[in-house]
Amino acid sequence: MVKVKRIYMFGEGTKEQKNLLGGKGANLSEMKTMGVPVPAGYTITTEMCTDYYANGGKNSDELLADMREYTKRLEEETGKKFGSDTDPLLLSVRSGARVSMPGMMDTILNLGLTDSAVAAMIAKTGNPKFVWDIYRRFIQMFGEVVQGVEYELFDNVLETIKEENGYKGDLELTAADWKSVATQYLAIVAKATGKPFPQDPMVQLEMAVNAVFESWDTPRAVIYRDHNGIAHHWGTAVNVQEMVFGNTGDNSGTGVLFTRNPKTGEKETWGEFLFNAQGEDIVAGIRTPLKLAEFAEVSPKIYKELTDILDNLEAHYHDMQDVEFTIEEGVLFLLQTRNGKRTGAAGIKIAVDMHEEGLLTKKEAVNSIDVNAIDQLLHPVFNEEAMANAEILTTGLAASPGAATGKIVFSSEKAAKIKDETGEKLLLFRKETSPEDIEGMIVCEGFVTQLGGMTSHAAVVARGMGKCCVSGCGELSINEEEGYMTINGVKYPELTPFSIDGTTGNVYAGTIETKDPEFSEEFQTILNWASEIKTLGVKANADNKRDAEQALKFGAEGIGLCRTEHMFFDEERILDVRRMIIADNTADREEALAKILPHQLKDFTELFTAMEGKTVCIRLLDPPLHEFLPQLDEVPEVAKDLGIKPEVLERTLETLHEFNPMLGHRGCRLAVTYPEISVMQAKAIIMAAIAVAKSGKVVKPEIMIPLIATVAELKYLKAFIKETADNLIAEAGIDLDYKIGTMVETPRAALVGGQVGEEAEFISYGTNDLTQMTFGFSRDDAGKFLKEYATKKIIPNDPFAAVDQEGVGQLVEMCTKNAKTSNPNIVIGVCGEHGGEPSSIDFFHRTGLDYVSCSPFRIPVAIVAAAQAELRNK
Ligand code: ADP
Ligand code: MG
Ligand code: MG
């Protein structure tokens, strides 16, 4: 039988053993081996926690025997004795799971103190004030944490003594005062538990270890694990460690620090220190700590010793460290180290600096970046101080990151008008948005919608524009006509100042100050390195020159999706678009289309020019036609503009009405009915390409047919497009390469990927629609019930935010494999919102896709995520 090792002395384990020893224990062991001054101690493994629960909440006799043995070893190492009445060994008992977990047990300090040990300590140190102080601390901590005595019961004792003596701070208490506190505490515990305070150190230790194991399953720990995706079976380790004292006098103290500034990444020791203090006095905020720089002035020698150790730790861990330390009578001890948490900006600066210092390779530097934190850098955020007083009114889906403030408006026209007149910052609040709202969305700082999920119109447009958006905000109700909205029954009239945070989904009343993003040199450096590493292409979803240029700045390698319908809503054009729709014969329709052509031509020429030398994939008209027609109440006005009778327009509206537009007459189905629309668009694309090519620039147009379910649809439309394009190119007498491909976004198209591969030169997965149709969840309505699904853990992640690898992913995998088999030259990418989401990018990389395409402001995230996917899956 293999002998189970239940306990590790510090120095016996390594930093890699976090699963077994917990993060704290593994690093304490590692530091010990490195020769860093760490008080002696041992770690009881996480397996013992699992055992404890398997035994029905009891430690095995074997573990208890081992604890006695290892405590003996600790006595040998320290030369002190547990329970001795001359030189007692005092211990701290510290919990420590694989990942640091607030919500678990508080550390117990000074364990091993008993009435007789107190006498021995006083004799040894000649410092009764200190000894009575640590005894009262121990009794209180042990009472509260291990024995469950209500903390209020201890409350008055200290206050009364301070009041009676007119003391301002704890440091003024005398030995006699502390003795009185300790004695009263002993009585409080005895009364509350019905038993005298335990005077056997070994009993204290066993009780404390039990309490740590018990704390693994307290409700707050369970809730924390649920929120943070930590497995419930991991268990916690227990660290038992010799005490060192920062509170013996002015020659002692305790501190916490980061080896670099965790906010900015600046290379400086950053932290706080308190003279004559123990453990959590710093955190408790009873006294104002010194900045480390001040400490350096007072104790330059120890400070130097400390910074030497910190350099050593950074060099060893290749990462910024978060360190706890204590100084006892001028002697320095480290009590903890771990990789420090940092802001997105700090993470990037630290990675680049550490590469320059030779601590990280470029690959390691890129890998160290928290890709989700990159978003913080690209969008405005709320000023931290300003956040302190902000009250959250309601929370929706965090649909597009960033923070914004402005006065609320409920319609796009109103927004455009007010902006025009006053130039004020505005926020658009609507039930939902549609392409008609574009104008208003352009002038507003951010959007909130009552309905809609992560891929609703508002969400997609916001991400494209780099603006913030909160969608699916169910507690909101808007009365556009009367110009107010209500949130949980409270009314807010139009133009009330509000603030919204698309990173958290929070909505606030009032104006909270925001900070604009700054792009550092280091940020660009990381993007360059990531681009060198990654193999997956990163393109942009962009419909206009402005977005294309933004995308290029961030490093886009092409446009993976240009949605042409966005070009149709422009005020100048919509009338011709509507003429095209109401036409009841091909001739009229072609006449209207001929008027739209020059607009499209201009747009495409601009895009090709901006994207010189890079691929530009243009999707043919996709939305159902009724989206371009006015609402019923606007019919008379629009009919007048069109020079037709209102009845004619109404009839068109009726004919176009669909019960289920998402599954209706849209995508290639439109084009099958009216091939002349595709012909016009193909003409505009190729004519633009020819014009740009003639100006001496390289153009790589791709024409994408949306929403096919069968390969016959693709074949049918391809013939029209090919004929149009080839004729134009022949006429122009130049060489021009173009590609015709399709979107795979219906499950059926994915199922016949092999056939699609034979006809298409490229495939782009439209994973928004593919997710909608595979789950049968409406993109625009799923927001309402997906929250519930998340809390009930039915579908833990919104499948519109991160691709569902198990289901939708299977379709992608199968289609890719079959399409590549039938056409080895086919280029395959993704242009759904998932193209900018890290876990989805990892999946697409593994599936062998050629590129992902995402909104311009997601490109930096996608580049770093693609590089990390490459490194992870080597
Ligand atoms: P947390 O996980 O909450 O940081 P720790 O186990 O690190 O808890 O303990 C909190 C604090 O208690 C430490 O920062 C340190 O100041 C103090 N402490 C823990 N162990 C010892 C010890 N052996 N000697 C002196 N102080 C200690
Ligand atoms: Mg700690
Ligand atoms: Mg689609």
Side-chain angles (χ1 to χ4, degrees), residues 460-461 463-465 539-553 556-567 603-604 606-608 610-611 615-619 704 830-831 833 852-857 859:
V460 173
V461 171
R463 287 197 286 266
M465 292 180 172
K539 301 190 188 186
N541 297 351
D543 313 331
N544 54 53
K545 188 168 148 236
R546 194 197 61 209
D547 290 356
E549 281 167 353
Q550 181 65 61
L552 281 175
K553 259 191 228 153
E557 293 154 58
I559 290 182
L561 174 64
C562 164
R563 300 174 169 100
T564 50
E565 58 271 18
H566 288 181
M567 303 172 164
D603 291 334
F604 296 143
E606 276 181 9
L607 263 192
F608 290 143
M611 297 303 294
T615 56
V616 175
C617 180
I618 296 168
R619 179 179 70 182
M704 181 153 76
V830 169
C831 62
E833 289 300 302
V852 292
S853 187
C854 58
S855 7
F857 281 88
I859 286 189

Side-chain angles (χ1 to χ4, degrees), residues 619 622 662 666 706-707 743 745 766-770 772-773 779 831:
R619 179 179 70 182
D622 185 55
M662 270 290 182
R666 61 181 277 237
L707 209 74
M743 267 177 103
E745 50 189 333
T767 49
N768 302 344
D769 269 311
L770 192 59
Q772 162 168 276
M773 289 189 240
R779 276 156 71 171
C831 62

Side-chain angles (χ1 to χ4, degrees), residues 429-502:
F429 278 62
R430 282 187 70 72
K431 191 163 179 193
E432 58 192 335
T433 63
S434 77
E436 279 180 79
D437 290 308
I438 287 291
E439 208 189 341
M441 296 175 88
I442 289 172
V443 302
C444 288
E445 311 299 310
F447 327 121
V448 177
T449 63
Q450 183 190 337
L451 305 177
M454 295 297 284
T455 60
S456 65
H457 178 266
V460 173
V461 171
R463 287 197 286 266
M465 292 180 172
K467 292 186 178 179
C468 65
C469 174
V470 175
S471 65
C473 208
E475 288 171 341
L476 187 74
S477 136
I478 293 168
N479 189 330
E480 191 184 325
E481 255 132 67
E482 295 182 26
Y484 69 87
M485 68 177 185
T486 53
I487 296 176
N488 295 324
V490 184
K491 259 193 184 181
Y492 301 92
E494 200 154 50
L495 298 182
T496 308
F498 259 70
S499 300
I500 63 175
D501 189 340

Side-chain angles (χ1 to χ4, degrees), residues 24 94 107 280 324 335-336 338:
K24 200 180 284 166
R94 320 169 64 185
T107 297
E280 270 147 347
E324 296 171 7
L335 292 171
Q336 188 170 344
R338 62 182 158 200

Side-chain angles (χ1 to χ4, degrees), residues 387-692:
M387 281 299 281
N389 303 318
E391 184 204 349
I392 300 173
L393 287 186
T394 182
T395 302
L397 296 174
S400 179
T405 68
K407 296 183 170 175
I408 54 174
V409 284
F410 308 125
S411 88
S412 298
E413 290 119 61
K414 198 90 178 254
K417 192 162 155 264
I418 296 173
K419 186 73 186 183
D420 211 33
E421 287 165 6
T422 66
E424 279 175 324
K425 289 190 170 178
L426 302 171
L427 296 175
L428 182 64
F429 278 62
R430 282 187 70 72
K431 191 163 179 193
E432 58 192 335
T433 63
S434 77
E436 279 180 79
D437 290 308
I438 287 291
E439 208 189 341
M441 296 175 88
I442 289 172
V443 302
C444 288
E445 311 299 310
F447 327 121
V448 177
T449 63
Q450 183 190 337
L451 305 177
M454 295 297 284
T455 60
S456 65
H457 178 266
V460 173
V461 171
R463 287 197 286 266
M465 292 180 172
K467 292 186 178 179
C468 65
C469 174
V470 175
S471 65
C473 208
E475 288 171 341
L476 187 74
S477 136
I478 293 168
N479 189 330
E480 191 184 325
E481 255 132 67
E482 295 182 26
Y484 69 87
M485 68 177 185
T486 53
I487 296 176
N488 295 324
V490 184
K491 259 193 184 181
Y492 301 92
E494 200 154 50
L495 298 182
T496 308
F498 259 70
S499 300
I500 63 175
D501 189 340
T503 311
T504 56
N506 291 337
V507 175
Y508 307 86
T511 305
I512 308 174
E513 208 180 306
T514 57
K515 278 191 300 205
D516 279 336
E518 288 167 36
F519 303 112
S520 63
E521 215 175 288
E522 288 89 358
F523 178 70
Q524 195 54 54
T525 306
I526 286 290
L527 285 187
N528 294 346
W529 292 348
S531 295
E532 285 166 26
I533 293 164
K534 74 180 181 55
T535 51
L536 188 67
V538 175
K539 301 190 188 186
N541 297 351
D543 313 331
N544 54 53
K545 188 168 148 236
R546 194 197 61 209
D547 290 356
E549 281 167 353
Q550 181 65 61
L552 281 175
K553 259 191 228 153
F554 285 141
E557 293 154 58
I559 290 182
L561 174 64
C562 164
R563 300 174 169 100
T564 50
E565 58 271 18
H566 288 181
M567 303 172 164
F568 280 30
F569 282 101
D570 195 285
E571 231 174 302
E572 283 177 49
R573 306 169 181 187
I574 189 85
L575 214 57
D576 289 323
V577 174
R578 285 171 176 166
R579 277 205 183 92
M580 184 262 291
I581 295 169
I582 57 171
D584 56 4
N585 60 71
T586 313
D588 283 0
R589 194 169 306 110
E590 281 181 341
E591 196 188 314
L593 283 167
K595 292 211 180 111
I596 304 173
L597 185 129
H599 296 303
Q600 294 247 286
L601 182 59
K602 177 168 164 280
D603 291 334
F604 296 143
T605 309
E606 276 181 9
L607 263 192
F608 290 143
T609 309
M611 297 303 294
E612 178 179 7
K614 299 190 162 68
T615 56
V616 175
C617 180
I618 296 168
R619 179 179 70 182
L620 300 181
L621 195 63
D622 185 55
L625 292 180
H626 69 81
E627 282 196 9
F628 297 99
L629 292 185
Q631 305 284 332
L632 216 48
D633 57 337
E634 294 166 47
V635 163
E637 198 191 320
V638 175
K640 208 168 113 205
D641 289 346
L642 287 169
I644 57 169
K645 293 208 184 90
E647 297 87 75
V648 179
L649 191 51
E650 268 170 33
R651 220 178 307 131
T652 315
L653 271 177
E654 260 165 45
T655 9
L656 288 180
H657 172 79
E658 290 180 313
F659 287 103
N660 205 337
M662 270 290 182
L663 300 176
H665 199 192
R666 61 181 277 237
C668 67
R669 301 160 204 168
L670 267 183
V672 169
T673 319
Y674 310 117
E676 52 275 22
I677 301 180
S678 302
V679 169
M680 181 280 288
Q681 292 200 291
K683 245 191 217 167
I685 294 167
I686 298 299
M687 281 166 69
I690 290 171
V692 176

Side-chain angles (χ1 to χ4, degrees), residues 539 615 702 704 739-742 757 760-765 816 819-820 823-830 848-852:
K539 301 190 188 186
T615 56
E702 299 176 342
M704 181 153 76
K739 285 192 170 133
I740 302 177
T742 188
E761 289 174 278
F762 65 87
I763 283 177
S764 179
Y765 293 106
T816 303
K820 285 200 168 171
N823 176 2
N825 293 325
I826 197 164
V827 177
I828 303 186
V830 169
L849 263 48
D850 298 297
Y851 70 87
V852 292

